[in-house]
Amino acid sequence: MKIKTFIISAITLFISLYLIIGYHSLKHIDKNRIDVSKYITLVDEVSENKVQVNWKYVVSIIAVENKNKIKNISDDKIKNTANLFIEKSDNGYKLNSLDNVLNKLNFTDKEKERVNDYIDQLKYFGLTPYRLKEDSKYTKFIEEIKDEAIKNYKEYKILPSITIAQAILESSWGESDLAQIYNNLFGIKADSSWKGEYVTLETFEFYDTKIEDKFRVYSNKNQSIKDHAKFLVDNQRYKKYGVFEAKTYIEQAYALQNAGYSTAEDNSGQKRYAKDLIELIRQYNLQLIDSEIKISD
């Protein structure tokens, strides 16, 4: 009798431990098993020229569906999940909200809660997690100019990801002399149409050619961000090359390059500006800001 009681107790203890371990294994998304580059690439492929889908939403849904076993997820599974967020509309495409997608998948309240928990856990996670920490200089710079970049999009249709990436690239994270002293985040030159203050500085026009040129001076960074968009709108070549018709950042980055925004080349003589913007946007999850504003549109 004692042996039987002992066995029952042991089984009960085993089941309890199993359930506890299982619960904790589901409570936290397994970041070490997330192939971030793969998710970003495939989700952006689905999004391109339509609307920007949030890759963190996709991985969180898949993690819940597969009970956190997210290694070796197929490309088709990732793409199919991303496509749930895209819906045709009278004006082309619209972005489905997370709640709508979870309802479409018939997720229980508990599963919905877990998806949102996973998304929260991924807030400062990406291709370079150590640079995405809340107190990093990179995150702080992005947050500093994010709101103004969103305002610009609403007025001029320059995607926030593009505005922020250009500011990062042109100002070296706001640390260039042009940015720190003169509040010019984008390296915009003072041509004959500019009636404001300007400064003459040395710059590289091509890969290794140094010249002197005039650059615009602003009273603050917000003024620089607004003038950046206005500069693009006022120059017809950007409209000609489809900059303002672009739906996602990849399309807009190449439109800017093709319109001649930058003459930057790599050491083999190939234009590199669009590639540089795309790499920055993916590295710092800037495309997710585009996704946020599309949901709120």
Side-chain angles (χ1 to χ4, degrees), residues 134-187:
E134 186 175 7
D135 60 350
S136 74
K137 74 171 186 178
Y138 311 104
T139 298
K140 287 179 179 178
F141 181 77
I142 291 167
E143 288 298 320
E144 181 185 358
I145 65 174
K146 174 182 171 180
D147 288 346
E148 197 65 28
I150 291 171
K151 286 181 186 177
N152 257 9
Y153 166 75
K154 292 178 178 177
E155 186 171 355
Y156 298 106
K157 297 305 176 186
I158 305 300
L159 291 164
S161 62
I162 291 291
T163 295
I164 297 170
Q166 285 191 286
I168 292 168
L169 190 60
E170 302 289 353
S171 73
S172 297
W173 293 96
E175 295 178 352
S176 69
D177 287 344
L178 192 57
Q180 287 188 324
I181 302 171
Y182 306 106
N183 291 309
N184 188 332
L185 293 173
F186 303 94

Side-chain angles (χ1 to χ4, degrees), residues 24 33 75 79 104 199 232 236 263:
H24 283 287
R33 294 181 177 272
D75 291 5
K79 287 182 177 182
K104 189 183 294 187
V199 63
L232 296 176
Q236 287 299 309
T263 56

